[in-house]
Amino acid sequence: MNLFDVYPINDITIVKAKGSYVWDNEGQQYLDLYGGHAVISIGHTHPHYVNRVTDQLNKVGFYSNSIRIPLQQELAAKLGKVSGRGDYSLFLCNSGAEANENALKLASFHNGRKKVVAFSKSFHGRTSLAVAVTDNPSIVAPINQTDNVIFLPFNDEAALEACFQQQGKEISSVIVEGIQGVGGIREASATFLQKISQLCKEYGAVFIADSVQCGYGRSGKFFSHDHAGVDADIYTMAKGMGNGFPVAGIIIAPHLKPKHGLLGTTFGGNHLACAAALAVLEVIEQERLIANAAEAGSYLIAQLKKIPGLQNVRGKGLMIGFDVPEPWKDLKKNLLFNQHIFTGEAKPNTIRLLPSLALRKKDVDAFIESLEEEIHVLEGAARVTE
Ligand SMILES: Cc1ncc(COP(=O)(O)O)c(C=O)c1O
Protein backbone atom coordinates (compact mmCIF):
# COMPACT_ATOMS: atom_id res chain seq x y z
CA MET A 1 0.00 0.00 0.00
CA ASN A 2 1.22 3.54 -0.76
CA LEU A 3 0.69 6.63 1.34
CA PHE A 4 -1.98 9.03 0.09
CA ASP A 5 0.31 11.65 -1.41
CA VAL A 6 -0.90 14.95 0.03
CA TYR A 7 2.25 16.33 1.66
CA PRO A 8 5.16 17.98 -0.21
CA ILE A 9 8.02 16.62 1.91
CA ASN A 10 11.71 17.29 2.40
CA ASP A 11 13.85 14.22 1.81
CA ILE A 12 15.00 14.00 5.45
CA THR A 13 14.38 11.21 7.99
CA ILE A 14 14.59 12.35 11.61
CA VAL A 15 15.59 9.61 14.05
CA LYS A 16 16.57 11.52 17.20
CA ALA A 17 15.65 14.80 18.88
CA LYS A 18 16.74 16.76 21.95
CA GLY A 19 15.88 20.33 23.01
CA SER A 20 16.09 22.57 19.93
CA TYR A 21 17.95 19.97 17.83
CA VAL A 22 17.05 16.97 15.70
CA TRP A 23 19.29 14.41 13.95
CA ASP A 24 18.73 12.54 10.71
CA ASN A 25 19.47 8.88 9.94
CA GLU A 26 22.97 9.81 8.76
CA GLY A 27 23.82 11.51 12.06
CA GLN A 28 23.48 15.06 10.70
CA GLN A 29 22.38 17.55 13.39
CA TYR A 30 19.79 20.26 12.59
CA LEU A 31 18.73 23.34 14.55
CA ASP A 32 14.94 23.22 14.74
CA LEU A 33 13.39 26.68 14.49
CA TYR A 34 10.07 25.30 13.30
CA GLY A 35 9.07 22.63 15.83
CA GLY A 36 7.04 20.72 13.23
CA HIS A 37 4.50 23.53 12.71
CA ALA A 38 4.84 25.21 16.15
CA VAL A 39 4.22 22.02 18.09
CA ILE A 40 7.44 21.62 20.10
CA SER A 41 6.89 24.03 22.98
CA ILE A 42 9.20 22.82 25.79
CA GLY A 43 11.87 21.27 23.55
CA HIS A 44 12.16 17.79 22.05
CA THR A 45 12.28 14.80 24.44
CA HIS A 46 12.40 16.93 27.59
CA PRO A 47 13.33 14.48 30.41
CA HIS A 48 10.41 15.48 32.67
CA TYR A 49 7.98 15.04 29.75
CA VAL A 50 9.45 11.67 28.74
CA ASN A 51 9.32 10.40 32.34
CA ARG A 52 5.76 11.59 33.00
CA VAL A 53 4.41 10.10 29.77
CA THR A 54 6.36 6.84 30.26
CA ASP A 55 5.21 6.49 33.90
CA GLN A 56 1.61 7.07 32.85
CA LEU A 57 1.85 4.55 30.02
CA ASN A 58 3.05 1.97 32.53
CA LYS A 59 -0.02 2.65 34.73
CA VAL A 60 -2.94 3.23 32.34
CA GLY A 61 -2.70 4.81 28.88
CA PHE A 62 -6.34 5.11 27.98
CA TYR A 63 -9.83 4.81 29.22
CA SER A 64 -12.80 6.73 27.84
CA ASN A 65 -14.79 9.60 29.34
CA SER A 66 -17.22 7.17 30.93
CA ILE A 67 -15.19 6.99 34.16
CA ARG A 68 -13.46 9.49 36.47
CA ILE A 69 -10.08 10.68 35.15
CA PRO A 70 -8.56 12.79 37.98
CA LEU A 71 -5.69 13.80 35.66
CA GLN A 72 -8.23 15.88 33.69
CA GLN A 73 -9.12 17.88 36.80
CA GLU A 74 -5.44 18.27 37.64
CA LEU A 75 -4.82 19.57 34.12
CA ALA A 76 -7.77 21.98 34.31
CA ALA A 77 -6.49 23.39 37.61
CA LYS A 78 -2.96 23.84 36.30
CA LEU A 79 -4.17 25.37 33.02
CA GLY A 80 -6.44 27.75 34.94
CA LYS A 81 -3.45 28.89 37.00
CA VAL A 82 -0.93 29.27 34.19
CA SER A 83 -3.42 30.95 31.80
CA GLY A 84 -4.96 33.18 34.49
CA ARG A 85 -8.42 31.81 33.59
CA GLY A 86 -9.25 29.79 36.72
CA ASP A 87 -12.98 30.52 36.36
CA TYR A 88 -13.21 28.99 32.85
CA SER A 89 -14.01 25.30 32.20
CA LEU A 90 -11.98 22.89 30.08
CA PHE A 91 -13.18 20.55 27.34
CA LEU A 92 -10.48 18.26 25.96
CA CYS A 93 -10.19 16.97 22.40
CA ASN A 94 -7.46 15.90 19.99
CA SER A 95 -6.52 18.50 17.35
CA GLY A 96 -6.70 22.20 16.53
CA ALA A 97 -9.45 21.74 13.96
CA GLU A 98 -11.50 19.74 16.44
CA ALA A 99 -11.02 22.44 19.07
CA ASN A 100 -12.32 25.11 16.68
CA GLU A 101 -15.15 22.84 15.50
CA ASN A 102 -16.30 22.43 19.10
CA ALA A 103 -15.94 26.14 19.88
CA LEU A 104 -18.05 27.18 16.87
CA LYS A 105 -20.64 24.53 17.66
CA LEU A 106 -20.81 25.45 21.35
CA ALA A 107 -21.32 29.11 20.43
CA SER A 108 -24.20 28.16 18.18
CA PHE A 109 -25.77 25.92 20.85
CA HIS A 110 -25.42 28.81 23.30
CA ASN A 111 -27.11 31.58 21.32
CA GLY A 112 -29.10 29.55 18.77
CA ARG A 113 -27.57 31.50 15.87
CA LYS A 114 -25.80 30.39 12.68
CA LYS A 115 -23.59 33.15 11.29
CA VAL A 116 -19.85 33.30 11.97
CA VAL A 117 -17.50 36.21 11.29
CA ALA A 118 -14.00 35.22 10.17
CA PHE A 119 -11.17 37.22 8.60
CA SER A 120 -9.03 37.41 5.50
CA LYS A 121 -5.99 35.09 5.53
CA SER A 122 -7.32 33.16 8.53
CA PHE A 123 -6.53 29.45 9.03
CA HIS A 124 -8.62 27.46 11.49
CA GLY A 125 -8.24 23.83 10.34
CA ARG A 126 -9.59 21.34 7.84
CA THR A 127 -12.75 19.78 9.34
CA SER A 128 -16.13 21.01 8.08
CA LEU A 129 -16.77 24.15 10.10
CA ALA A 130 -13.10 24.90 10.75
CA VAL A 131 -12.35 24.88 7.03
CA ALA A 132 -15.48 26.88 6.25
CA VAL A 133 -14.11 29.74 8.40
CA THR A 134 -10.65 29.37 6.81
CA ASP A 135 -9.85 31.87 4.06
CA ASN A 136 -8.49 29.43 1.47
CA PRO A 137 -11.03 28.26 -1.13
CA SER A 138 -8.61 25.61 -2.46
CA ILE A 139 -9.01 23.48 0.68
CA VAL A 140 -12.80 23.96 1.03
CA ALA A 141 -14.64 21.00 -0.56
CA PRO A 142 -18.06 21.63 -2.13
CA ILE A 143 -19.67 19.84 0.83
CA ASN A 144 -18.05 22.32 3.27
CA GLN A 145 -19.37 25.41 1.52
CA THR A 146 -21.90 27.41 3.53
CA ASP A 147 -23.56 30.82 3.46
CA ASN A 148 -23.17 31.09 7.22
CA VAL A 149 -19.64 32.50 7.16
CA ILE A 150 -18.98 36.21 6.65
CA PHE A 151 -15.35 37.01 5.75
CA LEU A 152 -14.19 40.51 6.66
CA PRO A 153 -10.82 42.21 6.14
CA PHE A 154 -8.43 41.53 9.03
CA ASN A 155 -7.83 44.48 11.38
CA ASP A 156 -10.64 46.55 9.78
CA GLU A 157 -12.68 47.90 12.69
CA ALA A 158 -15.05 49.91 10.50
CA ALA A 159 -16.00 46.84 8.42
CA LEU A 160 -16.61 44.85 11.62
CA GLU A 161 -18.78 47.59 13.09
CA ALA A 162 -20.82 47.89 9.88
CA CYS A 163 -21.31 44.12 9.74
CA PHE A 164 -22.62 44.01 13.32
CA GLN A 165 -24.91 46.96 12.68
CA GLN A 166 -26.46 45.15 9.70
CA GLN A 167 -26.72 41.59 10.99
CA GLY A 168 -25.51 41.60 14.61
CA LYS A 169 -28.53 39.70 15.91
CA GLU A 170 -27.75 36.77 13.58
CA ILE A 171 -24.05 36.50 14.42
CA SER A 172 -23.28 33.50 16.60
CA SER A 173 -19.53 33.99 16.92
CA VAL A 174 -16.42 35.79 15.77
CA ILE A 175 -13.28 33.66 15.38
CA VAL A 176 -9.85 35.26 15.24
CA GLU A 177 -6.20 34.31 15.66
CA GLY A 178 -4.30 36.78 17.87
CA ILE A 179 -1.39 36.40 15.46
CA GLN A 180 -2.20 34.73 12.15
CA GLY A 181 0.21 31.87 11.55
CA VAL A 182 -0.47 30.23 8.19
CA GLY A 183 -1.59 33.70 7.00
CA GLY A 184 2.00 34.92 7.39
CA ILE A 185 2.57 36.11 11.01
CA ARG A 186 0.09 38.96 10.90
CA GLU A 187 -0.81 40.43 14.30
CA ALA A 188 -4.35 41.44 15.19
CA SER A 189 -4.12 44.99 16.51
CA ALA A 190 -5.08 45.58 20.15
CA THR A 191 -7.88 47.95 19.13
CA PHE A 192 -9.26 45.39 16.66
CA LEU A 193 -9.44 42.68 19.35
CA GLN A 194 -10.98 45.17 21.78
CA LYS A 195 -13.60 46.06 19.16
CA ILE A 196 -14.42 42.35 18.63
CA SER A 197 -14.79 41.91 22.38
CA GLN A 198 -17.05 44.96 22.71
CA LEU A 199 -19.31 44.06 19.77
CA CYS A 200 -19.65 40.42 20.85
CA LYS A 201 -20.77 41.56 24.31
CA GLU A 202 -23.17 44.15 22.88
CA TYR A 203 -24.84 41.76 20.42
CA GLY A 204 -24.69 38.48 22.40
CA ALA A 205 -22.16 36.84 20.06
CA VAL A 206 -19.35 34.57 21.25
CA PHE A 207 -15.73 35.74 20.93
CA ILE A 208 -13.56 32.74 19.96
CA ALA A 209 -9.81 33.29 20.29
CA ASP A 210 -8.06 30.71 18.10
CA SER A 211 -4.87 30.14 20.07
CA VAL A 212 -3.95 26.86 18.39
CA GLN A 213 -0.70 28.28 16.98
CA CYS A 214 -0.22 31.64 18.73
CA GLY A 215 -1.19 30.43 22.23
CA TYR A 216 0.42 28.46 25.02
CA GLY A 217 3.03 31.10 25.82
CA ARG A 218 4.49 31.38 22.33
CA SER A 219 3.86 35.14 22.06
CA GLY A 220 5.43 35.92 25.45
CA LYS A 221 2.01 35.87 27.16
CA PHE A 222 -0.08 32.73 27.64
CA PHE A 223 -2.59 33.79 24.98
CA SER A 224 -1.49 36.23 22.29
CA HIS A 225 -4.87 37.94 22.68
CA ASP A 226 -3.74 38.84 26.23
CA HIS A 227 -1.48 41.54 24.75
CA ALA A 228 -4.70 43.46 23.94
CA GLY A 229 -6.05 43.10 27.49
CA VAL A 230 -9.23 41.31 26.36
CA ASP A 231 -11.01 38.20 27.64
CA ALA A 232 -12.44 35.95 24.93
CA ASP A 233 -15.42 33.70 25.67
CA ILE A 234 -13.68 30.60 24.30
CA TYR A 235 -9.96 29.96 23.71
CA THR A 236 -8.98 27.07 21.45
CA MET A 237 -5.61 25.35 21.97
CA ALA A 238 -3.63 22.50 20.44
CA LYS A 239 -0.11 22.48 18.95
CA GLY A 240 2.16 23.40 21.91
CA MET A 241 -0.20 21.84 24.44
CA GLY A 242 1.25 18.32 24.19
CA ASN A 243 4.75 19.05 22.82
CA GLY A 244 3.98 16.52 20.08
CA PHE A 245 1.44 14.33 21.82
CA PRO A 246 -1.92 14.91 20.08
CA VAL A 247 -3.95 16.78 22.68
CA ALA A 248 -6.15 19.85 22.27
CA GLY A 249 -8.79 21.70 24.18
CA ILE A 250 -11.08 24.65 24.55
CA ILE A 251 -11.52 26.72 27.67
CA ILE A 252 -14.96 28.19 28.14
CA ALA A 253 -16.12 31.28 30.05
CA PRO A 254 -18.55 30.66 32.94
CA HIS A 255 -21.64 32.10 31.20
CA LEU A 256 -21.53 29.29 28.60
CA LYS A 257 -23.25 26.37 30.30
CA PRO A 258 -22.61 22.65 29.77
CA LYS A 259 -25.23 19.93 29.40
CA HIS A 260 -24.62 16.16 29.30
CA GLY A 261 -24.11 15.05 25.72
CA LEU A 262 -23.61 18.58 24.32
CA LEU A 263 -20.00 17.84 23.25
CA GLY A 264 -18.04 14.60 23.23
CA THR A 265 -15.11 12.57 21.93
CA THR A 266 -13.72 9.08 22.40
CA PHE A 267 -10.02 9.88 22.70
CA GLY A 268 -10.10 13.44 24.06
CA GLY A 269 -8.73 13.82 27.59
CA ASN A 270 -7.33 10.30 27.86
CA HIS A 271 -4.79 9.51 30.59
CA LEU A 272 -1.74 9.67 28.37
CA ALA A 273 -2.79 12.95 26.74
CA CYS A 274 -3.39 14.54 30.16
CA ALA A 275 0.01 13.35 31.43
CA ALA A 276 1.70 14.89 28.38
CA ALA A 277 -0.21 18.18 28.75
CA LEU A 278 0.54 18.36 32.49
CA ALA A 279 4.24 17.73 31.89
CA VAL A 280 4.27 20.61 29.37
CA LEU A 281 2.66 23.06 31.81
CA GLU A 282 4.95 21.95 34.64
CA VAL A 283 8.03 22.61 32.52
CA ILE A 284 6.61 25.93 31.25
CA GLU A 285 6.21 27.01 34.90
CA GLN A 286 9.44 25.58 36.32
CA GLU A 287 11.66 26.85 33.53
CA ARG A 288 9.85 30.20 33.09
CA LEU A 289 9.42 29.47 29.40
CA ILE A 290 6.86 32.21 28.73
CA ALA A 291 9.34 34.83 29.95
CA ASN A 292 12.07 33.10 27.92
CA ALA A 293 9.87 33.26 24.80
CA ALA A 294 9.46 37.01 25.35
CA GLU A 295 13.19 37.60 25.95
CA ALA A 296 14.60 35.27 23.28
CA GLY A 297 11.98 36.54 20.82
CA SER A 298 12.84 40.22 21.37
CA TYR A 299 16.53 39.42 20.95
CA LEU A 300 15.92 37.41 17.76
CA ILE A 301 13.69 40.13 16.27
CA ALA A 302 16.32 42.80 17.08
CA GLN A 303 19.06 40.74 15.39
CA LEU A 304 16.91 40.09 12.31
CA LYS A 305 16.11 43.80 11.99
CA LYS A 306 19.84 44.52 11.66
CA ILE A 307 20.15 42.40 8.49
CA PRO A 308 19.87 44.60 5.39
CA GLY A 309 17.39 43.30 2.80
CA LEU A 310 15.15 41.31 5.16
CA GLN A 311 11.74 42.92 4.94
CA ASN A 312 8.95 43.43 7.47
CA VAL A 313 10.52 41.62 10.40
CA ARG A 314 7.53 41.10 12.69
CA GLY A 315 5.93 39.02 15.42
CA LYS A 316 5.80 38.63 19.17
CA GLY A 317 7.80 36.33 21.42
CA LEU A 318 8.84 33.26 19.44
CA MET A 319 6.26 33.65 16.68
CA ILE A 320 8.28 35.56 14.13
CA GLY A 321 8.10 36.25 10.41
CA PHE A 322 10.01 38.19 7.79
CA ASP A 323 9.73 38.58 4.04
CA VAL A 324 12.50 37.69 1.61
CA PRO A 325 12.98 39.56 -1.66
CA GLU A 326 12.56 37.61 -4.92
CA PRO A 327 16.31 37.01 -5.63
CA TRP A 328 16.57 35.26 -2.22
CA LYS A 329 13.60 32.96 -2.81
CA ASP A 330 15.76 29.85 -2.13
CA LEU A 331 16.74 31.08 1.33
CA LYS A 332 14.52 28.67 3.29
CA LYS A 333 15.69 25.67 1.23
CA ASN A 334 19.34 26.73 1.52
CA LEU A 335 19.05 27.19 5.29
CA LEU A 336 17.76 23.63 5.52
CA PHE A 337 20.17 21.86 3.16
CA ASN A 338 23.34 23.98 3.55
CA GLN A 339 23.07 25.15 7.16
CA HIS A 340 20.87 22.35 8.54
CA ILE A 341 18.31 24.69 10.06
CA PHE A 342 14.56 24.03 9.93
CA THR A 343 12.39 27.11 9.37
CA GLY A 344 8.81 27.47 8.18
CA GLU A 345 7.19 29.47 5.41
CA ALA A 346 4.01 31.30 4.48
CA LYS A 347 3.11 31.97 0.88
CA PRO A 348 4.30 33.81 -1.10
CA ASN A 349 7.63 34.93 0.44
CA THR A 350 7.54 34.80 4.24
CA ILE A 351 9.87 32.78 6.46
CA ARG A 352 8.19 31.76 9.71
CA LEU A 353 10.13 30.99 12.89
CA LEU A 354 8.31 28.91 15.51
CA PRO A 355 11.02 27.38 17.70
CA SER A 356 10.71 25.79 21.12
CA LEU A 357 9.96 28.31 23.88
CA ALA A 358 13.23 27.17 25.52
CA LEU A 359 15.34 28.57 22.65
CA ARG A 360 18.72 29.80 23.88
CA LYS A 361 20.68 32.91 22.94
CA LYS A 362 23.52 30.82 21.51
CA ASP A 363 21.06 29.19 19.07
CA VAL A 364 19.79 32.61 18.01
CA ASP A 365 23.39 33.73 17.38
CA ALA A 366 24.17 30.56 15.40
CA PHE A 367 21.04 31.09 13.30
CA ILE A 368 21.83 34.73 12.56
CA GLU A 369 25.36 33.79 11.48
CA SER A 370 24.06 31.06 9.15
CA LEU A 371 21.38 33.35 7.77
CA GLU A 372 23.92 36.06 6.94
CA GLU A 373 26.16 33.49 5.26
CA GLU A 374 23.35 32.18 3.04
CA ILE A 375 22.19 35.70 2.17
CA HIS A 376 25.76 36.55 1.20
CA VAL A 377 25.85 33.55 -1.18
CA LEU A 378 22.47 34.45 -2.70
CA GLU A 379 23.54 38.09 -3.09
CA GLY A 380 26.65 36.95 -4.97
CA ALA A 381 24.59 34.71 -7.27
CA ALA A 382 22.12 37.53 -7.92
CA ARG A 383 24.99 39.89 -8.87
CA VAL A 384 26.43 37.34 -11.34
CA THR A 385 23.08 36.97 -13.16
CA GLU A 386 22.53 40.76 -13.38
C1 LIG B 1 -4.44 28.93 13.97
C2 LIG B 1 -4.71 27.48 13.67
N1 LIG B 1 -5.90 26.97 13.98
C3 LIG B 1 -6.18 25.67 13.74
C4 LIG B 1 -5.26 24.82 13.17
C5 LIG B 1 -5.59 23.38 12.91
O1 LIG B 1 -4.91 22.55 13.78
P1 LIG B 1 -4.77 20.97 13.49
O2 LIG B 1 -3.84 20.84 12.33
O3 LIG B 1 -4.23 20.41 14.77
O4 LIG B 1 -6.13 20.48 13.19
C6 LIG B 1 -4.00 25.32 12.84
C7 LIG B 1 -2.97 24.46 12.20
O5 LIG B 1 -2.02 24.90 11.62
C8 LIG B 1 -3.71 26.70 13.09
O6 LIG B 1 -2.53 27.23 12.77
Side-chain angles (χ1 to χ4, degrees):
M1 187 187 281
N2 286 322
L3 297 174
F4 198 54
D5 188 12
V6 288
Y7 299 112
I9 58 165
N10 294 302
D11 188 15
I12 294 172
T13 306
I14 293 174
V15 294
K16 191 175 103 174
K18 183 98 204 130
S20 292
Y21 303 97
V22 297
W23 286 263
D24 71 15
N25 53 355
E26 283 162 9
Q28 177 63 55
Q29 179 179 312
Y30 297 77
L31 174 61
D32 184 10
L33 298 184
Y34 191 50
H37 307 313
V39 165
I40 300 303
S41 47
I42 58 169
H44 291 279
T45 61
H46 190 288
H48 178 65
Y49 173 85
V50 172
N51 287 338
R52 212 175 197 308
V53 173
T54 310
D55 284 353
Q56 188 58 48
L57 189 55
N58 280 314
K59 289 183 200 148
V60 49
F62 172 83
Y63 205 81
S64 71
N65 287 298
S66 59
I67 44 114
R68 280 193 194 286
I69 304 179
L71 282 168
Q72 292 184 351
Q73 191 52 56
E74 204 186 317
L75 175 58
K78 180 67 110 189
L79 190 53
K81 180 168 171 247
V82 179
S83 69
R85 302 294 191 296
D87 55 338
Y88 283 49
S89 306
L90 172 65
F91 174 75
L92 289 161
C93 53
N94 310 285
S95 71
E98 199 187 340
N100 285 331
E101 200 79 23
N102 278 292
L104 293 161
K105 202 167 148 183
L106 180 57
S108 177
F109 274 133
H110 168 72
N111 54 26
R113 302 178 189 169
K114 291 184 183 170
K115 299 249 182 244
V116 182
V117 172
F119 300 102
S120 52
K121 294 221 173 185
S122 60
F123 184 90
H124 299 294
R126 289 167 182 269
T127 56
S128 286
L129 264 177
V131 85
V133 294
T134 288
D135 182 23
N136 180 354
S138 72
I139 61 166
V140 179
I143 200 170
N144 306 132
Q145 281 160 10
T146 163
D147 293 333
N148 287 329
V149 182
I150 306 161
F151 281 103
L152 297 177
F154 189 56
N155 277 337
D156 187 337
E157 291 163 46
L160 187 68
E161 186 110 45
C163 176
F164 266 92
Q165 265 163 22
Q166 277 161 21
Q167 34 193 334
K169 290 278 167 229
E170 291 168 65
I171 296 172
S172 172
S173 57
V174 178
I175 183 162
V176 64
E177 295 156 82
I179 305 171
Q180 291 187 334
V182 176
I185 314 291
R186 302 199 310 155
E187 287 177 56
S189 71
T191 53
F192 185 59
L193 293 176
Q194 286 155 7
K195 179 62 75 183
I196 292 174
S197 173
Q198 175 221 316
L199 289 168
C200 282
K201 280 199 187 86
E202 204 175 314
Y203 287 88
V206 174
F207 176 4
I208 301 171
D210 182 336
S211 302
V212 167
Q213 184 167 153
C214 58
Y216 246 76
R218 177 157 297 285
S219 73
K221 290 196 184 283
F222 193 78
F223 293 119
S224 65
H225 306 71
D226 291 346
H227 291 279
V230 294
D231 281 315
D233 301 308
I234 304 177
Y235 293 87
T236 66
M237 299 158 288
K239 293 187 184 285
M241 189 171 181
N243 200 45
F245 195 95
V247 51
I250 64 177
I251 60 164
I252 303 150
H255 67 280
L256 298 173
K257 301 292 178 206
K259 194 171 85 177
H260 284 179
L262 194 69
L263 306 176
T265 153
T266 299
F267 294 119
N270 67 73
H271 299 72
L272 213 46
C274 288
L278 272 162
V280 167
L281 287 176
E282 285 155 2
V283 172
I284 285 180
E285 260 196 329
Q286 277 157 20
E287 299 185 8
R288 296 180 57 254
L289 292 188
I290 301 182
N292 188 67
E295 286 154 27
S298 299
Y299 178 64
L300 176 47
I301 288 174
Q303 300 310 105
L304 288 168
K305 282 190 170 161
K306 287 185 199 157
I307 300 180
L310 288 188
Q311 298 158 349
N312 305 318
V313 177
R314 59 194 182 272
K316 274 204 170 77
L318 288 171
M319 184 157 182
I320 296 171
F322 55 86
D323 299 334
V324 293
E326 180 58 23
W328 302 354
K329 63 178 183 337
D330 288 337
L331 187 56
K332 178 177 176 293
K333 186 174 68 122
N334 293 359
L335 281 169
L336 180 58
F337 290 105
N338 301 341
Q339 302 289 337
H340 307 113
I341 298 175
F342 277 96
T343 60
E345 67 182 342
K347 303 277 185 249
N349 62 342
T350 299
I351 288 192
R352 268 195 298 164
L353 303 177
L354 299 155
S356 136
L357 309 187
L359 188 73
R360 291 169 303 179
K361 181 172 176 291
K362 80 173 180 73
D363 295 322
V364 173
D365 292 336
F367 169 59
I368 295 294
E369 201 175 303
S370 301
L371 185 62
E372 284 174 329
E373 203 176 306
E374 284 310 314
I375 288 174
H376 186 69
V377 173
L378 287 167
E379 276 283 83
R383 241 178 270 121
V384 170
T385 53
E386 263 167 20

PDB file of all heavy atoms in Angstrom, residues 29 57 198 203 236 374:
ATOM      1  N   GLN A  29      23.151  16.771  12.417  1.00  0.00           N
ATOM      2  CA  GLN A  29      22.376  17.551  13.394  1.00  0.00           C
ATOM      3  C   GLN A  29      21.728  18.760  12.718  1.00  0.00           C
ATOM      4  O   GLN A  29      22.315  19.385  11.836  1.00  0.00           O
ATOM      5  CB  GLN A  29      23.317  18.025  14.495  1.00  0.00           C
ATOM      6  CG  GLN A  29      22.645  18.879  15.560  1.00  0.00           C
ATOM      7  CD  GLN A  29      23.620  19.305  16.634  1.00  0.00           C
ATOM      8  OE1 GLN A  29      24.385  18.499  17.166  1.00  0.00           O
ATOM      9  NE2 GLN A  29      23.603  20.581  16.965  1.00  0.00           N
ATOM     10  N   LEU A  57       2.083   5.674  30.935  1.00  0.00           N
ATOM     11  CA  LEU A  57       1.849   4.548  30.024  1.00  0.00           C
ATOM     12  C   LEU A  57       1.982   3.223  30.768  1.00  0.00           C
ATOM     13  O   LEU A  57       1.251   2.267  30.497  1.00  0.00           O
ATOM     14  CB  LEU A  57       2.842   4.625  28.863  1.00  0.00           C
ATOM     15  CG  LEU A  57       2.632   3.674  27.689  1.00  0.00           C
ATOM     16  CD1 LEU A  57       1.234   3.816  27.106  1.00  0.00           C
ATOM     17  CD2 LEU A  57       3.658   3.957  26.599  1.00  0.00           C
ATOM     18  N   GLN A 198     -15.932  44.038  22.406  1.00  0.00           N
ATOM     19  CA  GLN A 198     -17.046  44.961  22.714  1.00  0.00           C
ATOM     20  C   GLN A 198     -18.303  44.602  21.915  1.00  0.00           C
ATOM     21  O   GLN A 198     -19.402  44.512  22.466  1.00  0.00           O
ATOM     22  CB  GLN A 198     -16.579  46.389  22.390  1.00  0.00           C
ATOM     23  CG  GLN A 198     -17.623  47.471  22.526  1.00  0.00           C
ATOM     24  CD  GLN A 198     -17.517  48.487  21.385  1.00  0.00           C
ATOM     25  OE1 GLN A 198     -16.418  48.911  21.019  1.00  0.00           O
ATOM     26  NE2 GLN A 198     -18.653  48.855  20.795  1.00  0.00           N
ATOM     27  N   TYR A 203     -23.856  42.459  21.255  1.00  0.00           N
ATOM     28  CA  TYR A 203     -24.840  41.755  20.423  1.00  0.00           C
ATOM     29  C   TYR A 203     -25.085  40.309  20.863  1.00  0.00           C
ATOM     30  O   TYR A 203     -25.781  39.564  20.187  1.00  0.00           O
ATOM     31  CB  TYR A 203     -24.395  41.784  18.959  1.00  0.00           C
ATOM     32  CG  TYR A 203     -24.554  43.141  18.308  1.00  0.00           C
ATOM     33  CD1 TYR A 203     -23.551  44.096  18.370  1.00  0.00           C
ATOM     34  CD2 TYR A 203     -25.736  43.467  17.619  1.00  0.00           C
ATOM     35  CE1 TYR A 203     -23.694  45.337  17.778  1.00  0.00           C
ATOM     36  CE2 TYR A 203     -25.888  44.710  17.014  1.00  0.00           C
ATOM     37  CZ  TYR A 203     -24.861  45.643  17.094  1.00  0.00           C
ATOM     38  OH  TYR A 203     -25.023  46.871  16.497  1.00  0.00           O
ATOM     39  N   THR A 236      -9.272  28.408  21.976  1.00  0.00           N
ATOM     40  CA  THR A 236      -8.982  27.071  21.450  1.00  0.00           C
ATOM     41  C   THR A 236      -7.473  26.861  21.441  1.00  0.00           C
ATOM     42  O   THR A 236      -6.707  27.777  21.148  1.00  0.00           O
ATOM     43  CB  THR A 236      -9.554  26.889  20.033  1.00  0.00           C
ATOM     44  OG1 THR A 236      -8.879  27.770  19.112  1.00  0.00           O
ATOM     45  CG2 THR A 236     -11.041  27.186  19.989  1.00  0.00           C
ATOM     46  N   GLU A 374      24.166  32.589   4.201  1.00  0.00           N
ATOM     47  CA  GLU A 374      23.351  32.184   3.038  1.00  0.00           C
ATOM     48  C   GLU A 374      22.902  33.388   2.214  1.00  0.00           C
ATOM     49  O   GLU A 374      22.841  33.317   0.987  1.00  0.00           O
ATOM     50  CB  GLU A 374      22.134  31.364   3.496  1.00  0.00           C
ATOM     51  CG  GLU A 374      22.457  29.951   3.878  1.00  0.00           C
ATOM     52  CD  GLU A 374      23.288  29.191   2.845  1.00  0.00           C
ATOM     53  OE1 GLU A 374      22.971  29.258   1.638  1.00  0.00           O
ATOM     54  OE2 GLU A 374      24.276  28.543   3.243  1.00  0.00           O
TER      55      GLU A 374
END
